[in-house]
Amino acid sequence: MSDPFDLPDLAVRTQGGAVVAANDEFFAGKENLVLPGPARARDDFGARGKEYDGWETRRRREPGHDWAVVRLGMPGVVHAVVVDTAFFLGNYPPRASLEGASVEGHPPASALADVDWAPLLPLSDLAGGTANRFTVEPGPRVTHVRLSIHPDGGVARLRVHGEVVPDPRLLDAGPCDLAALENGGRVTGVSNAFYGSPHQLIGRGEARSMGEGWENARRRDDGNDWVEVTLGCEGTVTLAELDTSWFLGNAPGAASLTGTTADGTEVELLPVTPLQPDTRHRFRLPGDAAVTAVRVDVLPDGGMARLRLWGRPTEAGRAALQQRWEATARG
């Protein structure tokens, strides 16, 4: 996936992102910035005026600008940013900038004012009612971003697309999901994603509806659909979960798992196996092959809520994680 806007959103609420501070949210709450899905039009008026699905500050009568700080759900390297001003037409900020910081642990919002903020997006022009898209020169990994709007106004959504860089120390605790987004797994290929993003397949938690999984269009030929996931690092997979929860009349009839080793050799992890609708399938795997990627083939088509590939990093995989962690500390 070469388009940086196809990379996962590091800030979205469903992946653990949260807006932890803002200097003003008089007209609309800061938490809306990282909600999943597009903003919706609202026609209601409240005690403070028209209501918006976004973050909106009051009109400034003094010099300065407004800001909001987002704790990323998945720390990583930022490649692209979307500052979406949907439905903000006469009240959008004319310009915005974004900074990033990397902070150890879980600091309170009050401690973030004094951290070392580095520029990610320079002060840039915005249009109203528009998903303003910007590519970002990759730099050091960040755990927080600060959106500054100049001088004031409303923003519906903030999307921060990038590569996840997991803390390798967290993967040392025991078996982990090597495919999970938060552990550095990423979708690197998909046959079809007509109804749902394949990134959701390896997202956090359980799907709350069919819309939070991966689903392809109906096949009208003799082939089958598939998705390829590059693991967070090389590892041995000993337990696979293929979860078809919520998919009732559109679950795959069967599925298989094929691993790819560091030298490009393909190895069978799970042969073609029947699947049931609306079921969390769990399969023990031999765990005798170190793999760097896994392809899920669904036959012939259909949707899946979650994919989990539990295992342990190899020695080489753990070393690569550490190298990536240290390299992205410097940018």
Side-chain angles (χ1 to χ4, degrees):
M1 293 191 174
S2 57
D3 186 344
F5 295 96
D6 287 338
L7 293 170
D9 182 359
L10 306 178
V12 69
R13 179 70 183 177
T14 49
Q15 298 300 333
V19 186
V20 297
N23 72 310
D24 188 300
E25 48 183 331
F26 186 87
F27 287 113
K30 63 185 186 297
E31 290 80 11
N32 294 326
L33 276 174
V34 297
L35 291 179
R40 296 173 296 173
R42 291 183 178 174
D43 298 325
D44 297 335
F45 282 80
R48 295 189 174 185
K50 191 176 187 305
E51 296 183 349
Y52 284 89
D53 184 6
W55 166 56
E56 186 183 5
T57 65
R58 73 192 78 198
R59 298 189 187 214
R60 272 193 168 267
R61 302 307 187 201
E62 66 283 329
H65 66 273
D66 294 319
W67 54 264
V69 174
V70 177
R71 183 193 68 232
L72 301 180
M74 301 177 294
V77 175
V78 179
H79 287 252
V81 173
V82 180
V83 182
D84 189 351
T85 57
F87 304 108
F88 289 97
L89 299 174
N91 51 352
Y92 68 93
R95 294 185 297 171
S97 62
L98 192 74
E99 301 163 286
S102 183
V103 185
E104 185 78 13
H106 308 88
S110 58
L112 298 174
D114 298 326
V115 303
D116 185 18
W117 291 98
L120 295 175
L121 176 70
L123 194 59
S124 303
D125 291 338
L126 301 180
T130 301
N132 299 273
R133 292 156 59 98
F134 305 96
T135 56
V136 174
E137 187 67 28
R141 69 172 184 273
V142 295
T143 59
H144 296 72
V145 296
R146 182 167 63 188
L147 174 66
S148 295
I149 56 175
H150 294 253
D152 56 33
V155 174
R157 296 288 188 270
L158 174 67
R159 304 303 186 203
V160 182
H161 297 280
E163 296 179 82
V164 180
V165 182
D167 185 341
R169 295 168 295 184
L170 301 180
L171 275 65
D172 290 338
C176 60
D177 181 3
L178 295 169
L181 270 178
E182 63 183 354
N183 290 334
R186 61 192 188 278
V187 173
T188 47
V190 63
S191 60
N192 184 281
F194 188 85
Y195 289 112
S197 168
H199 292 307
Q200 297 185 136
L201 196 60
I202 54 176
R204 294 178 74 220
E206 298 180 357
R208 296 170 297 177
S209 70
M210 188 190 304
E212 292 190 356
W214 164 59
E215 186 182 1
N216 41 69
R218 299 190 186 206
R219 274 207 169 253
R220 304 306 189 193
D221 56 31
D222 295 331
N224 72 276
D225 286 304
W226 54 270
V227 62
E228 181 185 70
V229 176
T230 294
L231 305 183
C233 68
E234 181 186 74
T236 54
V237 182
T238 54
L239 178 69
E241 296 183 15
L242 280 65
D243 187 353
T244 60
S245 293
W246 303 104
F247 290 92
L248 297 166
N250 51 351
S256 65
L257 298 175
T258 304
T260 302
T261 65
D263 63 6
T265 302
E266 290 192 348
V267 294
E268 182 180 81
L269 301 180
L270 179 72
V272 175
T273 303
L275 299 183
Q276 299 301 317
D278 197 26
T279 300
R280 182 185 177 210
H281 307 81
R282 308 182 83 197
F283 303 104
R284 290 188 60 181
L285 305 182
D288 54 1
V291 296
T292 58
V294 174
R295 188 182 73 245
V296 185
D297 284 277
V298 295
L299 294 94
D301 57 24
M304 191 172 294
R306 292 290 186 269
L307 170 70
R308 305 295 186 207
L309 299 173
W310 294 90
R312 294 179 183 273
T314 62
E315 184 176 343
R318 177 60 175 79
L321 277 178
Q322 186 67 37
Q323 183 180 30
R324 174 73 168 148
W325 178 256
E326 294 174 358
T328 55
R330 300 184 296 270

